[in-house]
Structures are given as C-alpha cells and as structure tokens.
Amino acid sequence: MPSGTADEDEPLSAYKARLHNQNTTKPLIEQVSNQWKEKDSDTEKVPYYAEDDTRELGFCDLEDDGSCPNVSRDIVSSRRFRRMFAVTLLAALLLYYAWKHLVAPPLEEDWAYKEGFVAQENGTYGIAKGGRDIDPDLVRLQDLDKRLLPGGEADVEGKRRLVFVGDVHGCKEELVKLLKEVEFDENSDHLVLVGDVISKGPDNVGVLDELIRLNASSVRGNHEDRILQVARSAHNTLSSTSSKGHAKDLALLKQLKPRHIEYLRSMPLMLHIPSLPQAAKPTHKKDSPISEHILVVHAGVVPGVPFSKQDPYYIMNMRSINRRTHVPSALHASSKNEKPWFDVWGWYNDRIFRKQSLKHFNHALQPTDYEAEEDNRAWTSLWKNFWGERHARPKPQVVIYGHDSKTGLQIHRWSKGLDSACVGGGKLTALVLNAKGKWETKSVGCKNYRG
Amino acid sequence: MADFESVRTRLETSYVNPEEDHPYKYFHESTFHPHYDGRFGDRILKYDEQQAHLKALIQTYLSTMNSIGAETWLMHGTLLGWYWNRKVMPWDSDLDVMVSEKSLHFLASYHNMTMHSFKLPGQKRTRTYLLEINPNYREGEVDEENRIDARWIDTEIGLFIDITTLRRNRSADDEEAMMVKDKHHYMLDDIYPLRDSTFEGIPVWIPYAYPDILSEEYGQEALSGTNHEHHRFDAERQTWIPQKILDSKFDGDDG
C-alpha cells in the first residue's frame, strides 16, 4: 500500500498523526494519491446517451447548458446583443432601401436603354426595307458647304456664325424680327432652318422668297414633304381627298412658283455639319460648347441605325422611340418603354462621350463617323494590329431639330429642339453658333395665327 | 356572287355553299378554304404554288388598275409585306388593297364582270382574272356580310384579292374621319397624299403615314421583329426564309 493513502481500518486520530509526520518529512506532491486511476468505473464505458439517433438532439437539449436554445436565450437576454442586433437590422434596412431607391433604378434604367442597342433574337428597327427608297426626289444627306463652316478653311479668323431657326410655318414677320434680334449679317452668317418653313402661317411664299434670297439651308419637314407628295399625285382625278389639310395644301401649291417647288425639293432629309475646327473643349454639361459634328433633321433620328437605313417618314415625324425595339412613333411617349426620342439619343451619345464600353452594341458607324480616323489611318492600323480588332468608335453628335411645339424648347447636351410654337402664338427661337462652338438661344414673340 | 354556270372555267362542280351563309352576303368562301373562290378552285395550293399565284395575282391587279386609272393602294398584311421587302409575305394566302369611293364607282360603272387575260413570263398558258363588284357597294354603312366591295379573282385556281373602299365616316362629327365597312377607321391625312413605290416589281401607291398605320394595326414589333409565322427575315438577302429550311441547313452544317 502506498504511503499517504487512507486505510479504512485506521482510526482517525492515528491517521491525523501519521499525516502530520509525513507532512513534515515529504514534499506535498507525494501525497497525491491518484486514486481515481485505479477505480475501474463501469459508468465510463456507458455512453452518456444511448447510441441512437437522439444524439443530435444534444444541440437543442434544454437540460444542457451549452445547447442552442439555452445559449440563444442567454445571448438574447444580453443587453449588448440586443443593441447590436437592432443596429445591424437598421443598417441592413438602410442598405436595402438605398439599393432599391437609389442604386437599382439608374442601373435598371441603364440596362433597359442598353437592351435596345445590343443584338436581339427577334431583330430590331432598321432591318426591314421600310420607306428608305420611297421618294426618288429626296436628297437624303447633304454636307454643309465647306465655305460656310465657322472657323473652316475659308474662315481662318473664325468670324462666321451659323444661325439655326425653329419651325417658321410661314411667319415671315417674326422671321425678319428674329434675324434682326440676332444681328444677322448676310456676309458672315449662314441661316439653317429645321424644316416646316411653310403651311399654317400667313405668308408662306414670302418666307420661301426670303430664304431663297438669303441662300439659307433647310431640311425637309413633314409639311414640305406633304406638299411635295401632293404635287406628285395631284393629277389623279379619282382620288377622294376632301380633307381640310389637303384643300389648304392644294391652295398653297397653286401659289407656288417653280422656283419655290425647286427650293422645297432641294431640301435634304438630313444636313450634316462637320465638327468646328476651332471649337473649345467640350464638357458633359448641357451648356458645353458644341465641338462635335452636328446633324440637322426635322423631327429626330434613331440612334445606332445607319443614315442609309433610317426611314424618312420617321426622320420627319418621330416624337418618341421604344427603347427596347427602337421603333419610333409619331406620337408622344405614352408607355414605360416609350421614351422621347432625344432621351434615347442622349443616353447613347453620353455613353460614347464618356468612352464607356460599346461591347455587343449593334455596329452602326455612320460614314461621317470615320472623318477623324482618316487622318490617323496609320494609327488605326497599328491599333488594330495590336489589339486584333478595329477600335473605331462612333463619335458623339449633336442633333438640332424642330417639329415638337407641344414639348417646346428642349435644350439637352446632345439635342437642341428649337420649335417653340411660333405659329400658335408662342415664340420663334434661334440658336446662334460661333466658330468657338459657343452658342446661345434667342427668341421673339409671335402673333397667334391659329386662333 | 355571279352564279357558277355563267362564270365557270375548268370545274364541273362548284365548291361553294351559299346556303350556309347569311342570306344577304354576296361573296362566298369556298368549302375548303376561306381564301379561295369555290367557283374556280377545288384545292389548297402548295406553299410554292400559292406564292407564285399570289405574286401574279397582285401584279396583274396593279397593272390593270394602273392602266385603267383607278386609284388603289396596299393595306393590311399586303402593306406589311411591302414594308419589309416590297413582296407578298410567303405565309399569306390573301391580299388586301383599298380603293377610293370614286374609284369604286368608276369600276362598278365600267368594269364590273370584266375578264383580263395575261401572258405571264415563264407561263405557257394565259391566265384570266375576273373583276367582280359587290352590288351592295352603294350602301355606306358598316356591313359585316358585305365588307368586301369587290374581288379580283384568279379564274384558274380561285385565289383572290379583297378590295375594300375608304369611305367618309358619316356617323363621326369629324369630316376627316374615314371608315371601311370592316369597321377599320382611318384619318384621311394618314392615307393621303398617296406615295408612289413598287410592289412585286409593279408601280403602286402606298398610304402617306404607312408606318403609323402598320404599327397601329399590328403593333410596333411588326416593324422590327424578324420572326413571323415560322419564317425568319434574312437581312442581307432581304427575304423571308421558312424556319424549316433554316433548321435543315443547321442540321446539315452539324452533320
């Protein structure tokens, strides 16, 4: 028997005495008996739980202090935890609302716009032949005469200006007043009209004579188009055309001399103005100088569709575009996917301007988009060889148009809508552009000729 | 409808059952297909045959109207075919044109029940077409039974063109509201001034606001969608290709 172990038969006093003796002679460590090692306990062999599937219950066992419900109760009852929980919940909610109301909508908008530009399984606008070739007399695209370009080769000093004027509709008095207001100089300024110079107003012939005299450029508007179509089909005696508009068109047609018809016929569908060589640096703001090339049309253009595939009818009549299919409409936007055409146009040009990716976009480079590339052809081919693809990007473009008197003056970064409802008693508006690309709008009041 | 005995060409019996229709209905459809005239046709043509006959049908109609000076223009599905590639859409089995009120009166007065024979390129036999006017053409009200004012009929196989008239809508206050007996409504300025173009190679008139008319009738997708009626539009070849052919091509490339 090892020393220091209690003998059951030994009386307590003797044991105490023996202990005392031992304590004085041996280090304490030797008194450790380690009796438990010798005990051959049965209970250790029996598992705490019977070996069946109830073992997993341990986690949820209420008897066990470490089980989930008990731990949870402890945690939940802790004040610190409650505070932390509330803060986390609040943060999550805030994040959710920030996502839902601030981050997601512009992203979704962006996606919705983008969808219209990437190739779609069921096609997109511009594939059908449509009205592309409908009028053999129509000049589709004309470049502004180089000699008229502010800051161009013929204007090294940059004295020339371009004066763009909204829908005149036969309001000659107002046109003359407006030209006076912008101090129009016949020698150094060039007048550009956005179409609808005739119909509705008091002096159509007077307006045409004035424009011919000033050698002004105009694009074809829906009213010029209508009168020219009437001229083509007027010989048919079996027509049943009794509309008031048609009667007015016929009456106007009778007043027009061959030189007027010729002038109307010479109006192109689109007038292209190359970028101004002396223009100041552009910004993304809507009052930025116009240093990009300009397209003048009567109503609007479908972005991403080559000029040759644009339907003339919509160039002269569109007001909205379905952002998914890019099919235009002559009506104002009325559903979620229909947008004012200039919104879609603006989105596209913003993206080009900000040099954002156009990957997967339908490639619709316009012939005029290549003008800059021609100078750097060597560069382009180097680029091409290096990256294995052509990095020609469309260039941003500003559209100047009219047609939409109901919406009125619309000045955005990539589109300038100048129809401010002159013939209905609104204003006649001019946008004056100088060689630096700086521009301003000026208006004069009009009499109401429709009332 | 003119009776079978007086207009019959090659058929021994008529494939028309007028007793089954409304008593006042003038034009009847054949017993085997609504787009065939049962006095002249006895079967539905195959895809290619039908396409060739429809093309000849519109070509002969347009050149006849051009030469007699009646004002007519394309409408509905035929206008949509023009919009896509200036051709009849291959899945169509009927054609739609419209005439002015004056033109209809002119046709009824001078050209009713006239036969027009054509020797078409690539065809051995001459084909004869019949212009038949519905005697109810003078009545201007909406009339479901007699919505078709006239028909241009291929007397060999019975295919025909439905001719409807653009009329003043007398029930509308607006003088410029127009109607057709099939209840379609148009504004006069959407139709006039007509534009000239070509269809299947023949000069034709087109309504002024053609894309607005089409997107109103068929939805905007009709102007952009390249999948229609098991056909896909090939942008480069400017033609509708049946899905069957596209599928078989695909299989061929695969194997």
Side-chain angles (χ1 to χ4, degrees):
Chain A
M1 176 173 287
S3 62
T5 316
D7 190 331
E8 305 212 343
D9 303 329
E10 191 178 26
L12 187 64
S13 56
Y15 175 66
K16 275 183 174 171
R18 190 168 59 85
L19 252 178
H20 184 78
N21 289 337
Q22 279 174 349
N23 284 351
T24 51
T25 55
K26 284 181 185 172
L28 263 177
I29 187 74
E30 295 197 2
Q31 295 182 36
V32 176
S33 66
N34 277 351
Q35 228 170 353
W36 60 273
K37 272 189 175 173
E38 288 148 36
K39 272 193 179 166
D40 192 17
S41 169
D42 286 342
T43 51
E44 274 184 39
K45 277 185 184 167
V46 179
Y48 193 76
Y49 291 100
E51 284 189 43
D52 60 15
D53 53 3
T54 54
R55 183 189 287 270
E56 283 104 51
L57 275 176
F59 187 67
C60 290
D61 190 358
L62 292 173
E63 304 285 306
D64 183 0
D65 277 350
S67 75
C68 163
N70 289 335
V71 170
S72 311
R73 198 174 51 228
D74 287 349
I75 291 175
V76 170
S77 61
S78 123
R79 196 174 267 264
R80 213 177 95 202
F81 172 78
R82 283 188 188 175
R83 206 182 303 134
M84 258 171 57
F85 183 74
V87 168
T88 318
L89 196 71
L90 201 70
L93 270 173
L94 273 174
L95 264 172
Y96 173 76
Y97 276 100
W99 170 260
K100 191 153 186 235
H101 296 284
L102 298 172
V103 184
L107 277 180
E108 274 166 21
E109 281 288 287
D110 219 42
W111 269 105
Y113 277 110
K114 195 175 173 182
E115 203 192 346
F117 285 93
V118 297
Q120 288 182 49
E121 172 59 18
N122 193 25
T124 180
Y125 181 73
I127 295 173
K129 199 160 193 179
R132 276 178 222 174
D133 57 354
I134 199 156
D135 185 349
D137 291 338
L138 176 63
V139 181
R140 291 189 63 94
L141 180 64
Q142 198 173 66
D143 271 297
L144 185 78
D145 189 335
K146 273 183 189 166
R147 289 166 296 178
L148 303 173
L149 190 70
E153 285 164 30
D155 179 38
V156 185
E157 289 174 40
K159 293 271 189 263
R160 295 200 66 91
R161 299 188 305 170
L162 288 173
V163 177
F164 301 89
V165 173
D167 304 32
V168 178
H169 280 302
C171 301
K172 192 191 169 187
E173 233 173 81
E174 284 80 0
L175 176 63
V176 171
K177 202 160 80 178
L178 181 64
L179 292 181
K180 210 169 272 170
E181 174 74 26
V182 303
E183 293 165 344
F184 189 80
D185 181 340
E186 289 177 31
N187 296 315
S188 63
D189 294 343
H190 182 64
L191 179 60
V192 180
L193 288 303
V194 299
D196 278 7
V197 298
I198 52 162
S199 299
K200 298 183 182 176
D203 190 4
N204 298 301
V205 175
V207 167
L208 286 175
D209 279 331
E210 182 68 4
L211 298 183
I212 293 169
R213 189 183 71 78
L214 289 171
N215 199 20
S217 306
S218 175
V219 292
R220 192 192 278 199
N222 52 316
H223 282 276
E224 285 88 15
D225 187 54
R226 198 172 265 281
I227 204 102
L228 288 169
Q229 294 300 334
V230 170
R232 284 170 78 90
S233 59
H235 58 274
N236 201 327
T237 51
L238 287 176
S239 285
S240 313
T241 43
S242 53
S243 84
K244 284 176 214 151
H246 189 75
K248 279 182 189 165
D249 285 342
L250 280 177
L252 173 56
L253 201 56
K254 276 191 190 133
Q255 289 182 291
L256 298 182
K257 301 277 181 299
R259 65 169 191 279
H260 299 130
I261 300 281
E262 197 191 322
Y263 182 72
L264 291 175
R265 220 169 254 155
S266 73
M267 293 178 172
L269 181 66
M270 299 177 261
L271 178 71
H272 177 253
I273 300 169
S275 46
L276 305 176
Q278 302 181 10
K281 201 174 174 341
T283 69
H284 67 272
K285 289 184 184 141
K286 73 174 180 186
D287 59 355
S288 157
I290 300 177
S291 63
E292 300 79 16
H293 59 160
I294 298 169
L295 193 69
V296 187
V297 293
H298 180 57
V301 241
V302 184
V305 173
F307 290 151
S308 60
K309 293 189 174 180
Q310 301 262 353
D311 191 323
Y313 178 80
Y314 281 130
I315 298 278
M316 296 182 283
N317 288 281
M318 80 169 73
R319 289 199 177 87
S320 59
I321 289 181
N322 183 311
R323 64 179 172 185
R324 205 168 51 75
T325 60
H326 281 192
V327 178
S329 165
L331 308 172
H332 285 101
S334 61
S335 72
K336 199 182 120 223
N337 274 324
E338 279 169 46
K339 294 280 160 189
W341 77 268
F342 49 82
D343 276 4
V344 186
W345 178 260
W347 182 87
Y348 182 61
N349 280 278
D350 253 345
R351 206 172 164 95
I352 299 172
F353 182 72
R354 290 167 196 266
K355 302 216 160 37
Q356 283 168 305
S357 162
L358 298 181
K359 211 176 163 189
H360 304 305
F361 274 46
N362 288 329
H363 269 296
L365 290 173
Q366 320 284 354
T368 50
D369 288 328
Y370 287 101
E371 61 173 18
E373 255 80 27
E374 278 173 28
D375 304 341
N376 307 329
R377 190 148 289 164
W379 252 113
T380 319
S381 62
L382 256 182
W383 208 219
K384 195 176 159 187
N385 290 340
F386 190 72
W387 294 105
E389 65 174 77
R390 191 183 166 83
H391 268 237
R393 282 173 66 89
K395 297 192 303 165
Q397 187 169 37
V398 172
V399 171
I400 299 180
Y401 68 102
H403 188 61
D404 196 355
S405 63
K406 204 175 147 199
T407 314
L409 196 64
Q410 283 289 315
I411 304 294
H412 300 281
R413 176 62 181 93
W414 305 109
S415 60
K416 320 280 178 194
L418 302 183
D419 188 357
S420 42
C422 178
V423 76
K427 286 174 177 174
L428 187 64
T429 301
L431 184 149
V432 185
L433 178 70
N434 70 17
K436 294 265 177 285
K438 299 268 167 61
W439 56 273
E440 58 175 344
T441 56
K442 287 207 164 154
S443 312
V444 294
C446 304
K447 280 183 215 158
N448 187 352
Y449 297 100
R450 308 197 76 187
Chain B
M1 192 146 78
D3 68 287
F4 176 65
E5 286 306 322
S6 54
V7 294
R8 61 171 281 259
T9 50
R10 62 183 179 89
L11 297 187
E12 295 298 324
T13 50
S14 165
Y15 289 84
V16 185
N17 242 340
E19 293 77 26
E20 285 182 4
D21 288 331
H22 190 279
Y24 296 121
K25 187 177 164 88
Y26 183 74
F27 288 120
H28 303 283
E29 282 72 45
S30 75
T31 49
F32 59 92
H33 193 281
H35 293 153
Y36 285 81
D37 189 322
R39 297 169 299 175
F40 308 103
D42 53 355
R43 66 183 177 97
I44 298 171
L45 298 182
K46 290 194 203 89
Y47 181 86
D48 289 345
E49 270 183 312
Q50 180 171 290
Q51 225 178 305
H53 272 90
L54 283 174
K55 179 179 167 180
L57 192 64
I58 192 75
Q59 286 175 326
T60 53
Y61 170 78
L62 291 175
S63 51
T64 304
M65 293 300 126
N66 287 345
S67 65
I68 65 178
E71 189 180 65
T72 186
W73 59 91
L74 305 182
M75 261 340 243
H76 311 303
T78 312
L79 183 61
L80 190 59
W82 169 86
Y83 182 85
W84 277 89
N85 60 356
R86 312 288 186 261
K87 288 183 167 73
V88 178
M89 294 187 294
W91 59 87
D92 254 0
S93 55
D94 70 338
L95 297 165
D96 286 291
V97 297
M98 212 178 258
V99 294
S100 63
E101 245 173 320
K102 276 187 193 167
S103 291
L104 181 71
H105 286 258
F106 170 68
L107 292 177
S109 310
Y110 301 103
H111 298 278
N112 192 14
M113 297 311 286
T114 49
M115 307 284 274
H116 303 258
S117 293
F118 287 85
K119 178 85 181 66
L120 296 163
Q123 295 288 326
K124 280 183 200 144
R125 279 189 299 168
T126 47
R127 273 199 203 142
T128 306
Y129 297 86
L130 170 66
L131 179 66
E132 183 169 5
I133 313 290
N134 185 336
N136 302 297
Y137 77 93
R138 282 175 189 283
E139 284 139 44
E141 308 304 314
V142 168
D143 183 349
E144 271 299 307
E145 301 305 326
N146 289 300
R147 57 184 200 88
I148 308 301
D149 290 302
R151 260 184 195 177
W152 178 259
I153 310 158
D154 182 332
T155 61
E156 194 182 307
I157 41 84
L159 280 169
F160 56 81
I161 298 177
D162 277 337
I163 303 169
T164 51
T165 311
L166 182 71
R167 300 161 190 272
R168 167 80 52 79
N169 184 354
R170 291 175 177 87
S171 61
D173 294 333
D174 190 341
E175 276 181 30
E176 301 188 6
M178 303 299 280
M179 57 152 255
V180 180
K181 284 183 179 177
D182 59 5
K183 294 191 221 162
H184 278 103
H185 288 81
Y186 303 97
M187 291 308 282
L188 207 45
D189 287 339
D190 285 346
I191 306 284
Y192 289 109
L194 293 169
R195 300 169 180 274
D196 47 352
S197 181
T198 57
F199 189 64
E200 294 287 3
I202 308 291
V204 71
W205 293 102
I206 298 297
Y208 183 78
Y210 56 90
D212 289 343
I213 291 174
L214 286 174
S215 62
E216 197 183 321
E217 185 169 355
Y218 298 105
Q220 285 192 328
E221 268 77 8
L223 305 188
S224 62
T226 48
N227 296 314
H228 280 294
E229 303 280 334
H230 310 293
H231 286 69
R232 191 171 173 84
F233 193 75
D234 185 321
E236 270 175 34
R237 289 155 68 187
Q238 288 279 307
T239 178
W240 291 100
I241 298 176
Q243 198 62 49
K244 268 187 210 161
I245 292 180
L246 289 173
D247 292 346
S248 67
K249 246 189 202 164
F250 185 72
D251 293 343
D253 291 346
D254 234 21

